Amino acid sequence: MRRVPRPPRGPVAIATSPWIVVGAGVVVMVVLLIVALGTYRGRSPAPDGAQPPALPVPSAVVAPSVPTSVPSPAPVLPGISGRASGLPPSAAAGSPSADPTVGPTGRPTATRSPSRAAPGQPAMTGRYRVVQSFDGGFIGEVAMVNTSARSRGWTVRLEFSGGRLVTTWVEGVPQGTVRQSDDGFTYVSGVEVPPGGSVSLRFHMERASSTPRECTVDGVRCNGL
């Protein structure tokens, strides 16, 4: 009898049966695929539908509230409004405070009026004096005041015993006209003096007495002689 030949073993069997190699490769690939899927799922950051945890956000720093002080409204005086300018209605309506002749207490106050010459007193008064004396002459002055209620011009007459007039001038106003004579001179003003105003006439005399024989303002004798 003939014996059935045994299948070859080892590399010879694998070479004669290629399907064995293909099956082994498929098994290895399936195993590797399963391992890769498991590894991928293990590294997933979160399951499906889950939201990542929110990071803590630092809370805003809130400054402590400081109570603000509201100034109280200023007291309103009767008849005076803090929003209105000008005089209060009481003053505009002719109250005693609106009258300049009435003081805050309601009593009449003294008002200054232009000075007026008293009965018998000249409208222009003059006073004579010597301003400076020196060897051979002197400087004299006639100071005048208008005591009337209107502007006035003036005329000064001076008489001396001898001597010579050098010059005359008026302090601070336009000059007037001078007329000389043997015994003195006459000066006529070049500008009027207002009520209550004053003016001074000065002159330089040589070789004459410092006391004039006559000094008049508008015909009225000067004071100071």
Side-chain angles (χ1 to χ4, degrees):
M1 292 180 62
R2 297 181 62 181
R3 295 182 179 179
V4 178
R6 295 180 180 179
R9 298 179 179 178
V12 177
I14 295 174
T16 56
S17 303
W19 59 269
I20 297 175
V21 177
V22 174
V26 171
V27 172
V28 171
M29 291 181 63
V30 170
V31 171
L32 292 177
L33 181 61
I34 293 174
V35 171
L37 290 176
T39 304
Y40 175 77
R41 289 182 175 274
R43 294 182 180 180
S44 177
D48 296 340
Q51 296 182 356
L55 297 177
V57 179
S59 58
V61 178
V62 179
S65 60
V66 179
T68 57
S69 59
V70 179
S72 59
V76 179
L77 300 178
I80 299 179
S81 173
R83 298 181 179 179
S85 60
L87 295 176
S90 59
S95 62
S97 60
D99 189 353
T101 61
V102 179
T105 58
R107 298 179 180 178
T109 59
T111 57
R112 183 178 181 181
S113 58
S115 59
R116 297 184 179 180
Q121 180 181 358
M124 292 290 295
T125 61
R127 176 175 291 276
Y128 176 85
R129 73 184 182 101
V130 176
V131 178
Q132 182 180 1
S133 297
F134 45 85
D135 187 16
F138 69 95
I139 295 176
E141 177 188 73
V142 178
M144 292 159 282
V145 178
N146 182 6
T147 59
S148 67
R150 63 181 182 86
S151 299
R152 302 181 64 91
W154 44 272
T155 301
V156 173
R157 173 64 184 172
L158 283 163
E159 296 181 3
F160 294 90
S161 299
R164 184 179 73 90
L165 176 65
V166 178
T167 184
T168 61
W169 69 95
V170 181
E171 297 287 343
V173 297
Q175 304 303 305
T177 305
V178 59
R179 296 192 299 266
Q180 292 185 345
S181 59
D182 294 338
D183 54 354
F185 67 93
T186 301
Y187 191 99
V188 180
S189 64
V191 65
E192 294 183 345
V193 181
S198 60
V199 66
S200 296
L201 170 66
R202 291 190 176 185
F203 56 91
H204 179 195
M205 291 292 296
E206 286 184 345
R207 300 185 301 274
S209 173
S210 60
T211 302
R213 291 186 309 177
E214 191 66 34
C215 174
T216 61
V217 177
D218 292 341
V220 179
R221 184 176 175 82
C222 301
N223 299 320
L225 296 177

